[in-house]
Amino acid sequence: MDIIKVFANNVKKYRTEIGLSQEAFAEKAGLHRTYISAIEREKRSIALDNVQKIADALEIETYLLFVEVK
Amino acid sequence: MDIIKVFANNVKKYRTEIGLSQEAFAEKAGLHRTYISAIEREKRSIALDNVQKIADALEIETYLLFVEVK
DNA sequence: ATGTGACTTGGAGTCCGTG
DNA sequence: TCACGGACTCCAAGTCACA
């Protein structure tokens, strides 16, 4: 299974669960809105520091973003 | 806790557990020897595709690399 | 067998927009 | 609200020589 796919799905899942738009979430994470969009569309391989920023903004443990949900 | 630190520690931990040198491990992961060195010394913020390569070479689940061990 | 500085280049990440 | 594109900037990727 591709980690980028798992990551993308999880970001989308947790983001919608807390009811944030891509835009609002991007701002909370300190990242760009088009970047979040690209991530969820699996268009980019993201770096670790931003992985942490995203996990922080989602208010979850970092490793959860890599656990495949089926 | 810094994710890069956790990641670095875990790479080192799992790598030594299976008894591989940085050099042998780098080759198995398809990465450069000095690159592995830099990662374990927390000198680089690495991207997701390489995280997966490393997890594959360590023969562990990807998320384990982000679980903090104390 | 590993740490480290320096280097080039491809892609991560930003910012403008449109439908 | 989001997908997607073009044009950037800058840092991670990948490699080298040397300690």
Side-chain angles (χ1 to χ4, degrees):
Chain A
M1 185 54 179
D2 187 11
I3 191 183
I4 297 179
K5 219 166 208 164
V6 175
F7 186 82
N9 289 338
N10 283 334
V11 170
K12 199 167 200 167
K13 179 185 164 222
Y14 288 114
R15 177 178 63 79
T16 52
E17 269 181 12
I18 55 177
L20 286 180
S21 69
Q22 282 184 357
E23 210 158 356
F25 174 64
E27 194 183 3
K28 186 175 182 187
L31 297 169
H32 203 84
R33 83 188 155 76
T34 57
Y35 187 47
I36 301 294
S37 171
I39 289 172
E40 293 189 1
R41 283 178 293 125
E42 300 158 34
K43 290 296 178 186
R44 291 180 186 271
S45 177
I46 111 179
L48 277 194
D49 46 2
N50 283 332
V51 168
Q52 186 163 38
K53 276 189 196 169
I54 290 171
D56 285 351
L58 289 173
E59 293 169 17
I60 60 171
E61 295 290 327
T62 310
Y63 77 89
L64 286 175
L65 289 171
F66 300 104
V67 178
E68 187 177 358
V69 281
K70 296 162 191 167
Chain B
M1 185 54 178
D2 188 10
I3 190 182
I4 297 178
K5 218 165 209 163
V6 175
F7 185 81
N9 289 338
N10 283 334
V11 170
K12 199 166 199 167
K13 179 186 164 222
Y14 288 114
R15 177 178 64 78
T16 52
E17 268 182 12
I18 55 178
L20 286 180
S21 69
Q22 282 184 356
E23 207 157 359
F25 174 64
E27 194 182 3
K28 187 173 182 186
L31 297 169
H32 201 85
R33 169 186 84 72
T34 57
Y35 187 49
I36 301 294
S37 171
I39 289 173
E40 293 189 1
R41 285 177 296 120
E42 303 159 32
K43 289 298 178 187
R44 292 179 184 263
S45 178
I46 93 179
L48 279 192
D49 45 4
N50 281 335
V51 168
Q52 185 163 38
K53 276 189 196 167
I54 290 171
D56 286 350
L58 289 172
E59 293 170 17
I60 60 171
E61 296 290 327
T62 311
Y63 78 89
L64 286 175
L65 289 171
F66 300 104
V67 178
E68 187 177 359
V69 281
K70 297 162 196 171

